[in-house]
Amino acid sequence: MSGDNRFVVVANRLPVDLHTAPDGTRTWSPSPGGLVAALSPVLENQQGCWVGWPGVSDEAPEPFRTDAGVLLHPVRLTEADFEGFYEGFSNASLWPLYHDLIVTPVYHREWWAAYRDVNLRFAQEVAEVAAEGATVWVQDYQLQLVPGILRQLRPDLRIGFFLHIPFPSPDLYRQLPWREEIIRGLMGADLIGFHLESNARNFLDLCAVTEGLTVEGTAGTRRIDAHVVTHDGHRVAVGAFPISIDPGSLGEGEEGGVDKLRAELGNPETVILGVDRLDYTKGILQRLLAFEELLESEALDPASTVLMQVATPSRERIEQYQMARSQVEEAVGRINGTFGAMGRPVVHYLHQSLPKNELRTYYEAADVMLVTPFKDGMNLVAKEYVACHGDGSGALVLSEFAGAAVELREANLCNPFDLESIKRAILTAVQGLSTTPDVMKDRMLAMHRQVAEYDVNRWADAFLTSLEETR
Ligand code: ADQ
């Protein structure tokens, strides 16, 4: 089966879930997701293969094909790999560094060793399954050494790399003890893609001051105007490819679901919503604090306003995530204690992952959506909300520091570092819906057109076409 795949995607996670039946029988099944949906057509047409970690330590199923014919090729990680490579270097060193030091990154040599080792194994697996001259698309910050290793193992391959998170300014990047190794790793690619031109510019500025590299051109969006040339003459194209969503993946809303949900909430006048992975970058606490102050000052009335916050459990063994969770939950408890009534909380909070069609009902029911990250590569939640408001209803409060703010200019933008700014944006949105509904509707429709037109398929096409052009 190996060695004949013309198109290979390699990502930290394999799109599969492990199910354990009551009798203990375990089965692996493909799990849908935005990236999977976007890449499925290419994967299916080209005898594609997806290489990744199946999400459970110390075990991995044999490679298997999905019904659509995509080969899923697991990389086995031990518990120690998971701790050093994933929880350690990827999420306690790189994640905070790439998100502009919202918390202080921790650098450990053992974590770096694990990262190198796991990247080597991912690259070796890809080298085995890829056909002569195949296209390989490497995803995200966990696998930045894979392009370099792969080019050494298999110089015949066409290698693309896409970074799903921001790329920081060279001034911040310089603190990474292994900065040269990571840049060298990335330089194995033929094309490196970022969400935003500003991310690509940061990367090019870094390359410009790195020994042995020459930068030509400046970054453009959805086309290639910039290259980095290595000392041995390899040309790496660099560009911005803002990711988007698959509007179809949200499913059909349940008939009458919105009315039912609003009734369950006590039929408030205003429903405000937050949906995030529980991550300290997402600014969940800040939006709760802003909401609390608006209740305190009576700018919002707890009798007629409800905030729903759905937070997916994430990276729960990392200390900073545990702290973020307790701060959020303390704030929820405090706000409800002060402003709620028995059987009628003001903040409805779930620490759960919801099925997509249920999420769709939440998005549809929300008058105001709060997306307030301190830093975010793109933020798909903002685009999902907009996609669910094709009738022009609703309002989006969006952080200036989310990549999505570049495209969704019609949102109520705010600075999440400034509580007053979040409060202003929330109030303007709530009041705008009743005082200037036509203006709000035009703004939502403009954003909806943007998301409907440039969906995740356009994103994948733009990247893969640019990658082909590097041949
Ligand atoms: P994330 O940081 O995970 O992604 P985001 O882009 O918002 O952030 O994507 C989250 C996804 O998870 C959305 O599709 C959302 O629907 C889903 N989700 C969140 N909470 C959920 C819940 N409680 N139940 C069910 N689903 C939930 C990283 C980067 C982003 C970048 C994406 C894609 O950090 O900046 O936009 O990759 O490149």
Side-chain angles (χ1 to χ4, degrees), residues 34-35 95 99 139-141 162-166 195 243-245 249-250 274-279 281-282 309-315 350-356 359 363 371 375-384 402-404 459:
L35 199 57
W95 179 268
H99 286 87
Q139 309 287 329
D140 226 358
Y141 63 104
F162 187 80
L163 186 70
H164 289 263
I165 65 175
H195 288 305
I243 202 170
S244 191
I245 58 157
S249 73
L250 291 162
V275 173
D276 315 76
R277 256 189 325 100
L278 208 162
D279 193 297
T281 59
K282 303 288 182 185
Q309 174 64 54
V310 189
T312 319
S314 182
R315 305 176 192 166
L350 294 182
H351 184 241
Q352 293 169 24
S353 189
L354 297 181
K356 282 282 181 217
L359 212 50
Y363 286 141
V371 178
K375 191 82 188 175
D376 216 329
M378 177 54 65
N379 194 293
L380 296 178
V381 166
K383 291 189 170 181
E384 287 168 358
W459 166 77

Side-chain angles (χ1 to χ4, degrees), residues 95-411:
W95 179 268
L97 173 65
Y98 282 40
H99 286 87
D100 289 355
L101 317 183
I102 294 160
V103 306
T104 306
V106 181
Y107 302 119
H108 284 310
R109 281 167 283 203
E110 310 77 62
W111 290 354
W112 163 246
Y115 184 84
R116 252 184 5 204
D117 183 46
V118 171
N119 270 251
L120 173 64
R121 269 147 50 202
F122 269 84
Q124 286 168 334
E125 301 277 355
V126 176
E128 270 178 34
V129 299
E132 179 74 21
T135 296
V136 177
W137 192 357
V138 185
Q139 309 287 329
D140 226 358
Y141 63 104
Q142 302 93 348
L143 301 178
Q144 294 173 99
L145 303 179
V146 168
I149 303 168
L150 206 50
R151 179 160 300 281
Q152 287 188 352
L153 295 174
R154 292 286 306 272
D156 58 296
L157 300 176
R158 190 67 6 190
I159 304 169
F161 177 88
F162 187 80
L163 186 70
H164 289 263
I165 65 175
F167 194 85
S169 89
D171 267 357
L172 299 183
Y173 203 80
R174 272 170 42 203
Q175 65 170 248
L176 180 64
W178 305 281
R179 57 198 186 188
E180 273 97 14
E181 287 90 334
I182 299 242
I183 299 171
R184 264 207 303 280
L186 290 169
M187 283 300 133
D190 296 289
L191 168 62
I192 301 176
F194 300 89
H195 288 305
L196 308 180
E197 272 181 45
S198 57
N199 304 147
R201 266 200 307 275
N202 281 344
F203 179 72
L204 292 170
D205 288 350
L206 178 69
C207 291
V209 295
T210 302
E211 221 182 287
L213 301 180
T214 320
V215 172
E216 297 172 355
T218 51
T221 298
R222 294 170 200 157
R223 59 170 199 277
I224 297 305
D225 296 322
H227 289 87
V228 181
V229 186
T230 64
H231 68 279
D232 56 2
H234 174 56
R235 280 170 72 79
V236 185
V238 174
F241 301 87
I243 202 170
S244 191
I245 58 157
D246 168 20
S249 73
L250 291 162
E252 295 287 313
E254 183 200 341
E255 184 75 21
V258 170
D259 291 343
K260 197 168 134 229
L261 175 61
R262 289 191 76 115
E264 279 163 5
L265 297 170
N267 283 319
E269 271 165 43
T270 309
V271 175
I272 304 176
L273 174 66
V275 173
D276 315 76
R277 256 189 325 100
L278 208 162
D279 193 297
Y280 54 77
T281 59
K282 303 288 182 185
I284 305 173
L285 177 64
Q286 302 327 102
R287 86 178 66 126
L288 287 167
L289 296 178
F291 183 64
E292 183 176 32
E293 290 194 7
L294 288 171
L295 293 171
E296 263 161 13
S297 66
E298 298 181 7
L300 290 179
D301 178 2
S304 60
T305 313
V306 152
L307 171 63
M308 298 193 285
Q309 174 64 54
V310 189
T312 319
S314 182
R315 305 176 192 166
E316 292 190 277
R317 299 200 312 189
I318 301 174
E319 193 189 337
Q320 306 283 11
Y321 286 78
Q322 293 165 356
M323 205 146 75
R325 179 177 174 192
S326 39
Q327 288 171 341
V328 163
E329 295 183 351
E330 186 186 315
V332 170
R334 190 179 58 239
I335 299 170
N336 281 332
T338 311
F339 298 102
M342 281 302 168
R344 200 167 47 79
V346 236
V347 182
H348 294 252
Y349 168 76
L350 294 182
H351 184 241
Q352 293 169 24
S353 189
L354 297 181
K356 282 282 181 217
N357 60 339
E358 205 168 315
L359 212 50
R360 179 182 190 99
T361 306
Y362 281 55
Y363 286 141
E364 285 177 351
D367 302 298
V368 178
M369 181 80 207
L370 302 185
V371 178
T372 55
F374 293 118
K375 191 82 188 175
D376 216 329
M378 177 54 65
N379 194 293
L380 296 178
V381 166
K383 291 189 170 181
E384 287 168 358
Y385 177 74
V386 166
C388 292
H389 286 264
D391 60 354
S393 63
L396 173 66
V397 169
L398 179 60
S399 161
E400 295 163 23
F401 295 86
V406 172
E407 292 162 282
L408 305 179
R409 301 309 296 171
E410 310 282 338

Side-chain angles (χ1 to χ4, degrees), residues 10-31:
V10 46
N12 171 55
R13 268 296 253 127
L14 198 66
V16 294
D17 286 328
L18 176 63
H19 303 275
T20 310
D23 69 355
T25 330
R26 294 147 70 94
T27 45
W28 297 87
S29 63
S31 72

